[in-house]
Amino acid sequence: QVQVVESGGGLVQTGGSLRLSCSASGSIFSINAMGWYRQAPGKQRELVATITSYGTTNYADSVKGRFTISRDNAKKTGYLQMNSLKPEDTAIYFCNVQIYNSGEYWGQGTQVTVSS
């Protein structure tokens, strides 16, 4: 079984920073792509950022220049550094992990709240 756990969420003021972590464990030999998604109240889950096994990154327009996705393959952990946070960034952030020859797995989410 594969487990994905997010951490690092919390309450921060506008302009502040948070770093989210996504730890994968279980029957994992290698991770293909990792991604961060978020879902605000009343909205659909949306893509925030993705990173491939090659290190290629992709960001939603709304977070470009503010967020940085990274990964530590040895630790099987992904990160999302969030800077210059805005109230509209408030959402539950989910980590998605794609495992070679397996499938996609989701974490249960971590709440990020940005106060004005």
Side-chain angles (χ1 to χ4, degrees):
Q1 298 296 316
V2 176
Q3 295 180 350
V4 178
V5 180
E6 304 96 337
S7 63
L11 175 64
V12 66
Q13 296 181 13
T14 297
S17 299
L18 285 173
R19 188 181 73 159
L20 306 183
S21 297
C22 172
S23 297
S25 61
S27 55
I28 302 172
F29 290 97
S30 63
I31 298 174
N32 186 2
M34 300 184 72
W36 287 95
Y37 297 74
R38 67 187 182 186
Q39 187 168 23
K43 296 184 178 180
Q44 293 184 322
R45 190 172 300 184
E46 65 177 352
L47 170 72
V48 176
T50 59
I51 184 167
T52 69
S53 60
Y54 297 99
T56 300
T57 58
N58 183 39
Y59 297 91
D61 289 340
S62 60
V63 306
K64 287 181 179 177
R66 300 188 298 120
F67 291 9
T68 302
I69 187 171
S70 62
R71 60 191 289 173
D72 185 328
N73 291 330
K75 296 182 178 180
K76 294 183 174 61
T77 301
Y79 304 94
L80 183 68
Q81 179 66 47
M82 306 185 296
N83 299 324
S84 302
L85 284 163
K86 305 175 181 179
E88 49 263 46
D89 294 319
T90 296
I92 300 176
Y93 284 70
F94 298 89
C95 179
N96 176 266
V97 178
Q98 185 178 29
I99 309 298
Y100 283 112
N101 300 317
S102 181
E104 293 185 348
Y105 300 88
W106 292 90
Q108 295 190 40
T110 184
Q111 177 70 47
V112 172
T113 302
V114 184
S115 64
S116 59

